[in-house]
Amino acid sequence: MGAPLPQKNESQHTPWLYDIDPDDTNWIITSSFMIFTMQTGFGMLESGCVSIKNEVNIMMKNVVDIVLGGLTYWIFGFAFSFGRSPLSNSFISFGDFFTDPSLKDPLKGAIYAAFIFQLSFATTATTIVSGAMAERCNFKAYCIFSFFNTAIYCIPAGWMWGEQGFLKKLGAVDIAGSGAVHLIGGSSALASAVMLGPRLGRYDNGIKSLPLGNPVNAVMGLFVLWWGWLAFNSGSTYGLSGEKWHYAARAAVMTMMSSFGGGTTSLLYSLIKLNGKIDTIDIINGILGSLVGVTAGCFLYQAWEALLIGCIGALLACLFMPLFDKLGIDDPVGASAVHGVGGIWGVLAVGIFAQDPYPLRTTSGRSGLLRGGGWYLLGVQSLACVCLSAWGLVSSMILLWTINKFVTIRMEVHVELLGADLTEHFVRHGNVNVGVSRAISTLGPVLDTAKVINLDNVGTNPMHEKNLNVVKNLSRKKRYRFSKILKDITRNRNLGINIVGNLLPKKARKSTAKEANGDRKEKETQIAWVN
């Protein structure tokens, strides 16, 4: 017989994070996978909002957020939020660095489930910032920022969710992260936009929004985020055992109700603002603002309350985007308005509308102001907004200021004009509307463009272009008909079409002097490749 499985030590307190059963674990892990798809949504949304010559760059920044941000969350982020060391205090936790419980640890399954769930939240918070820094942030500097930005998120996450956190002890409520994720991400985005300054020429013609690089990508990003948000909120019941499953279902419905209110409000706002026309970015950010607003108390509201919260969240997002522009704060995707302002509203909404979700202890038995719960919960929620906003702004500015001492955070002027795709990733767009070729031509006399001038345009097959030139020359010089041109290419020039046949031995083909002479003339254009 095998050795008995280790049992939990009942004399030791089990943190709420690990007090789950197998069914809860299944729900938590599944939700984590769905939340991770939000990275795709953020990437598509952000790449759709920036100019085409920067779309690859912004996608790569989203990749970096997962890779480097995830690495540092494993090293120290999870520990700073939920560490179980005696050194942990109300401000920061310690212990459980390099998260990897032993096989003999009776809590190992719960630890792994908690880590993957919290990791999905952490990478989301970091990704929010990338959009606000788009089109003018040095990629190397951003990599350093992404690596250390985990600390900006994980410490206040511990305040709200860690057992030792001072805001949690006071009774602050943030079920799925309107504050800990979105407000931190939004305030960090605001600080980043301020530190970097506006894009070149951004406000030369007023505060009117710049054209979206790819509106379809932006809208598709919204749909993916919408999908992931259901897991974001429903998964934050942290299981389905007991009464949790009731509130998981309620969270899903209230999330959708809020987005209905936000979508309707943003549609009306756009119709009024543009005299019957629809602004894509207003609709996108209005819906996202409503989702951010309902996230803190997603299963604490009734349907009409969620609808109202979504309407207000969308209106705030739509109104604050142009307000930030008037202040000269250039945020290409509106992250500061959507996640920052929307996050504040979401945290405050709990203090106004929340019900006590008995028998869950989510609100410690308290209710919101309009539920007869008095002013205490609203006061604590207000304190949380002040603490989280101040932390996100100040810590992000300090981090960026420090990075700038070693690696300049702002792109050089010529790099911004050429586009980060070309200068950072050697991706050259062939679309004439992108403006890359014109920038290369203009800067050529004063800048060494040798490394990029001969790059092939992305989305094209350069071999096809060369082979089409062969056909063009044949048609012009020899006046071949189309059928003879094809015969010449397939039989005599062997441009990869019969490449498989060349792998087998065959008799040497007799060539006429004329053919041999023609082969010599066209030697430079002969190419062998596989489609």
Side-chain angles (χ1 to χ4, degrees), residues 21 46 107 160 162 186 231 243 260 278 287 368 379 403 426 438 443 490 495 497 502:
D21 62 26
E46 293 171 9
L107 294 175
M160 296 296 292
E243 296 295 313
F260 299 157
I278 300 297
I287 293 173
I403 293 172
F426 278 179
R438 184 182 179 189
L443 295 172
T490 56
L495 299 181
I497 297 173
N502 292 337

Side-chain angles (χ1 to χ4, degrees), residues 178 183 292 339-349 385 389:
S178 285
L183 179 50
V292 172
H339 301 279
V341 178
I344 291 173
W345 165 238
V347 174
L348 293 178
C385 287
S389 300

